[in-house]
Amino acid sequence: MLKGTAASDGIGIGKVLVIEEVSLDYTPHTVEDKDAEVARFKAAVDAFIVETQAQAEALKASAGAKEADIMLGHISMVQDPALFGETEKLIQGGQCAEQAFESMCDMFIMVFSQAADDFMRQRAADVRDVKTGVLAQLLGVHEVKISDAPADTILLVKELTPSMTAGINKDNIVGIITETGGKTSHSAILARALEIPAVLSVENAAALMKTGDLVIADGSRGEVIQNPTEAELQDYTAQRETFLRNKRELEQFRGKETRDADGTAYELVCNIGKPEDAGKVLAGDGEGVGLFRTEFLFMDRTALPTEDEQFEAYKKAALALKGKPLIIRTLDIGGDKEIPYMGLAKEENPFMGFRAIRYCLKNRNLFRTQLRAILRASAFGDVKIMFPLITCMEEFREARALVEEIKNELRLTTGIPFNENIDVGVMVETSAAAVIADLLAKEAAFFSIGTNDLTGYTMAADRGNADVAYLYSVLQPGVLRLIKRTIEEGRKAGIPVGMCGEAAANPHLIPLLISFGLTEFSVGAPSVLNVRKCIARWTKEEADKVAEHAMSLDNEAEIAAYLESVI
Amino acid sequence: MVSKHFTVPNAQGFHMRPATTFATAMNKYPCTVTIKFNGNDVNGKSLMHIMAACIKVGSEIDVVCDGEGENEALAEAAEMIESGFGE
């Protein structure tokens, strides 16, 4: 078995087709008729543009507009005055078109591959693609036609380029194996857009397999099985069936409301970290945003973001969601996250230190700026405010009083529109907040349980510390009791209670959450359909039975085993 | 010759899309467009040069336009940069 990177889910079983890179060898020579050579170069670029445009059209149909944009970007590159113009100068200096263009491309490939930024490094792959394409035109060689591949083909390429992807017929290509590329590479993004299982970065793949070999490409685990046995073939065929069946089943939940088997409705929303992610929420069929982390606005920069800059970011997310709820969590920053310009001191114990709401209440100007920006954005959608790391009433009251103060300012001095009745809620992520949920519920408009920190604080265990990570589990009786209490106290007071930690997407926990009375699940966009499906299978009565039994058990191992047995 | 100083405001800096927008717009003008950044002269009409310069949010840059249409070019450059490329 060969190991690689799991880049696109699913299992492909078929025969290998090795795509050899076409030879782009040439002998550099000096040219006499320089104008004719420039004309030859221009003709090659024109032909490249025509071909790329056709490929972009094909890609748009098979993988979507975003992927096609990558190819249109290649056209901008080849027409760039630096690349095009400098090549022309080199030709006028006597070099042949191949050599002139290649040396210009190589220069940019070198610059881009040394960039500190991952996104810029990816541009090196684009320039390489452009170089190959134009050289092929100049030399009159043509890349292998992937569109002619027979049914049940597993493509084996060094690197999947957008131009190759354009030729892929989804009915015939059942898997992709490459020698390079990580989870965020073009190859991976393209494979996922085409929904073809892909295993990337398999070392020496081309030397180890040849065209015609029977292989299994497991894109979910990142494994390639060469010459599988009859038993392996049966096993993986069955796994593939299950995978495809699950996928089909999940698709049936797209566009549906989130309801349990009794018909009770729930809100199924998403966690995001950037305004651009709001689009992914809708694409993933999320019903809004239950947690918008605002830290991104403060990271990777040298000074605090201005009110306008924050306002634009929040407004952008609110508009993208078209009236669906958007819970914005105020700055959750502290000793463990380095933001040099904020002058946060190193602390002995950052998780119990000066962070989140504590920091914001002491740095009023920064906090006021963020709250003003959020309030202004509330005129553009269903925006709510959530405070992180609340541990006592005073913190919540002080923060909420500040919101009222800013509302007054906006009303009196500026006449800027905002939502007068904006909801202000608490992120319940400390044991203290869960224990005083009865008190908080009287004044908060909503709760959202942050299970990651709640589990860590309650169990006093860092999941990154291998010696104590075994304690870190949301299924610990201590954690479950706090979750139950928070939800029940919220319900008693008649406020909605959501959950925005990873646990909200955990199928084992879902019956318990339904039984306790959770009203909102906030999960990663890719989990939406699965959570909707998990919720749909439980009636309140069945969920109550499971919850009652689980809560009667006195240790995590038994609870986990029991929940595994009932789902 | 006209020039103006900027602190790049948009989170993405001069990434692919902003760089393409900028270079495309600048190519409409006959004058030269140079971005002075970190002691380097970057060709403001070249998407590739701009991207290779890795101009990020918070970067201090000067845009220099020289030749026919320099005032119009600088005005359009300023509008794009200051609006954060509509990010």
Side-chain angles (χ1 to χ4, degrees):
Chain A
M1 188 184 72
L2 305 170
K3 280 298 251 180
T5 303
S8 177
D9 272 345
I11 289 165
I13 304 174
K15 291 208 165 132
V16 170
L17 173 64
V18 181
I19 304 296
E20 310 267 4
E21 289 185 26
V22 289
S23 163
L24 296 171
D25 288 344
Y26 60 89
T27 318
H29 56 277
T30 48
V31 290
E32 297 301 322
D33 188 347
K34 287 157 190 167
D35 289 339
E37 188 69 356
V38 168
R40 188 168 77 88
F41 172 61
K42 283 188 174 155
V45 168
D46 286 343
F48 170 79
I49 292 172
V50 169
E51 193 177 282
T52 306
Q53 247 151 4
Q55 285 169 344
E57 285 303 313
L59 198 58
K60 196 171 167 181
S62 63
K66 220 169 132 198
E67 278 64 31
D69 279 349
I70 298 175
M71 307 232 51
L72 296 174
H74 290 177
I75 297 178
S76 310
M77 280 185 178
V78 82
Q79 289 174 325
D80 191 85
L83 190 55
F84 191 90
E86 298 292 317
T87 303
E88 210 178 313
K89 272 189 213 157
L90 290 177
I91 297 172
Q92 291 295 359
Q95 290 189 17
C96 67
E98 287 87 350
Q99 191 186 3
F101 188 69
E102 179 160 34
S103 62
M104 283 312 298
C105 288
D106 286 347
M107 198 259 302
F108 281 110
I109 291 168
M110 198 186 71
V111 173
F112 288 140
S113 29
Q114 286 167 352
D117 174 332
D118 189 43
F119 178 88
M120 283 298 167
R121 281 198 298 275
Q122 304 261 348
R123 300 286 75 74
D126 287 315
V127 183
R128 219 172 286 131
D129 219 17
V130 170
K131 176 175 106 172
T132 311
V134 173
L135 283 181
Q137 293 292 348
L138 281 169
L139 296 165
V141 292
H142 293 284
E143 291 187 42
V144 182
K145 282 246 177 200
I146 295 178
S147 50
D148 299 339
D152 295 323
T153 292
I154 298 210
L155 277 188
L156 198 167
V157 292
K158 188 160 191 307
E159 182 176 11
L160 187 69
T161 65
S163 49
M164 283 180 198
T165 318
I168 286 180
N169 173 350
K170 280 196 264 192
D171 297 332
N172 291 354
I173 309 294
V174 296
I176 294 164
I177 301 171
T178 71
E179 286 191 343
T180 60
K183 249 188 154 54
T184 57
S185 65
H186 270 353
S187 302
I189 293 166
L190 290 164
R192 282 195 293 269
L194 290 164
E195 301 185 332
I196 296 177
V199 186
L200 308 189
S201 280
V202 179
E203 248 179 86
N204 289 324
L208 295 165
M209 287 169 270
K210 57 182 195 302
T211 295
D213 284 358
L214 183 64
V215 299
I216 298 169
D218 183 341
S220 306
R221 295 194 193 92
E223 294 171 358
V224 175
I225 292 106
Q226 294 172 272
N227 304 315
T229 62
E230 196 51 44
E232 279 172 330
L233 274 178
Q234 276 180 12
D235 179 25
Y236 276 91
T237 305
Q239 284 187 40
R240 184 176 62 185
E241 292 306 312
T242 313
F243 175 85
L244 293 173
R245 193 172 56 240
N246 283 341
K247 205 163 135 184
R248 274 197 304 273
E249 276 175 22
L250 282 188
E251 279 309 311
Q252 291 174 0
F253 286 91
R254 186 176 293 278
K256 299 274 165 61
E257 291 177 341
T258 304
R259 292 184 183 275
D260 63 20
D262 295 326
T264 308
Y266 297 82
E267 245 186 291
L268 177 50
V269 290
C270 297
N271 304 334
I272 64 171
K274 286 192 176 131
E276 298 87 81
D277 295 343
K280 289 184 200 155
V281 169
L282 298 183
D285 211 28
E287 300 161 21
V289 167
L291 169 64
F292 180 10
R293 302 182 183 93
T294 53
E295 289 71 60
F296 83 98
L297 278 165
F298 296 79
M299 319 269 269
D300 298 326
R301 52 186 299 142
T302 52
L304 286 172
T306 62
E307 180 185 320
D308 280 344
E309 207 178 312
Q310 295 191 52
F311 164 65
E312 288 299 335
Y314 305 146
K315 177 182 159 189
K316 185 173 171 188
L319 288 175
L321 290 168
K322 302 181 180 116
K324 294 193 166 82
L326 169 66
I327 300 182
I328 302 180
R329 180 180 71 186
T330 59
L331 186 61
D332 181 10
I333 215 100
D336 60 320
K337 292 171 195 156
E338 289 263 348
I339 298 191
Y341 67 86
M342 283 179 128
L344 289 162
K346 273 254 178 257
E347 290 181 279
E348 286 262 318
N349 200 345
F351 278 95
M352 302 216 172
F354 193 45
R355 53 175 292 214
I357 194 71
R358 302 166 182 185
Y359 179 88
C360 288
L361 288 172
K362 284 274 157 23
N363 290 273
R364 286 297 171 106
N365 286 340
L366 171 149
F367 198 27
R368 294 180 74 96
T369 305
Q370 180 170 40
L371 291 173
R372 270 181 72 99
I374 298 175
L375 278 167
R376 284 171 60 195
S378 72
F380 298 90
D382 184 10
V383 175
K384 305 170 204 273
I385 302 176
M386 174 160 76
F387 299 126
L389 206 77
I390 295 289
T391 53
C392 57
M393 295 302 286
E394 293 89 319
E395 285 170 339
F396 180 70
R397 286 179 180 148
E398 206 181 322
R400 205 191 42 187
L402 201 57
V403 174
E404 289 306 318
E405 221 179 287
I406 294 166
K407 278 191 194 170
N408 253 328
E409 270 175 32
L410 290 175
R411 238 177 258 136
L412 295 174
T413 60
T414 59
I416 291 173
F418 65 93
N419 176 8
E420 288 278 353
N421 302 314
I422 191 166
D423 281 342
V424 180
V426 171
M427 180 146 174
V428 178
E429 54 181 336
T430 64
S431 325
V435 172
I436 61 162
D438 54 329
L439 305 175
L440 285 169
K442 289 183 190 146
E443 299 184 17
F446 63 89
F447 285 160
S448 184
I449 307 174
T451 47
N452 299 8
D453 274 350
L454 183 63
T455 306
Y457 283 128
T458 304
M459 297 309 296
D462 175 359
R463 68 167 149 180
N465 179 339
D467 291 325
V468 299
Y470 71 97
L471 286 167
Y472 184 98
S473 164
V474 73
L475 298 180
Q476 283 283 355
V479 182
L480 287 179
R481 276 164 173 69
L482 288 182
I483 291 174
K484 179 167 190 252
R485 173 173 172 76
T486 305
I487 300 173
E488 286 177 351
E489 291 302 332
R491 296 215 53 135
K492 263 192 238 167
I495 61 169
V497 184
M499 179 175 282
C500 56
E502 284 167 26
N506 179 345
H508 293 87
L509 203 59
I510 285 173
L512 273 60
L513 299 176
I514 290 175
S515 169
F516 299 160
L518 197 78
T519 53
E520 178 230 57
F521 293 74
S522 191
V523 304
S527 304
V528 166
L529 295 181
N530 194 46
V531 171
R532 188 172 288 150
K533 179 183 159 203
C534 289
I535 292 174
R537 63 159 284 197
W538 295 99
T539 62
K540 180 75 170 38
E541 196 186 337
E542 287 161 353
D544 282 346
K545 258 189 229 156
V546 170
E548 196 185 328
H549 186 72
M551 295 304 280
S552 75
L553 300 170
D554 67 6
N555 65 83
E556 194 262 352
E558 275 183 51
I559 295 173
Y562 168 67
L563 292 176
E564 175 69 33
S565 75
V566 296
I567 70 155
Chain B
M1 190 178 78
V2 292
S3 74
K4 195 169 178 193
H5 183 82
F6 302 94
T7 306
V8 175
N10 60 313
Q12 293 217 341
F14 276 75
H15 252 197
M16 182 88 170
R17 193 189 55 80
T20 311
T21 314
F22 189 85
T24 311
M26 291 302 107
N27 274 304
K28 290 186 307 209
Y29 302 100
C31 62
T32 61
V33 180
T34 310
I35 304 172
K36 292 190 178 289
F37 171 58
N38 262 352
N40 294 322
D41 282 358
V42 179
N43 181 351
K45 292 185 170 184
S46 164
L47 153 72
M48 307 279 275
H49 271 183
I50 299 173
M51 287 207 306
C54 277
I55 301 170
K56 290 191 182 319
V57 58
S59 293
E60 303 285 332
I61 59 169
D62 290 286
V63 176
V64 183
C65 302
D66 190 7
E68 198 188 331
E70 56 187 30
N71 288 315
E72 293 80 3
L74 189 64
E76 186 168 357
E79 197 190 314
M80 280 188 287
I81 299 171
E82 281 162 358
S83 72
F85 296 95
E87 201 177 274

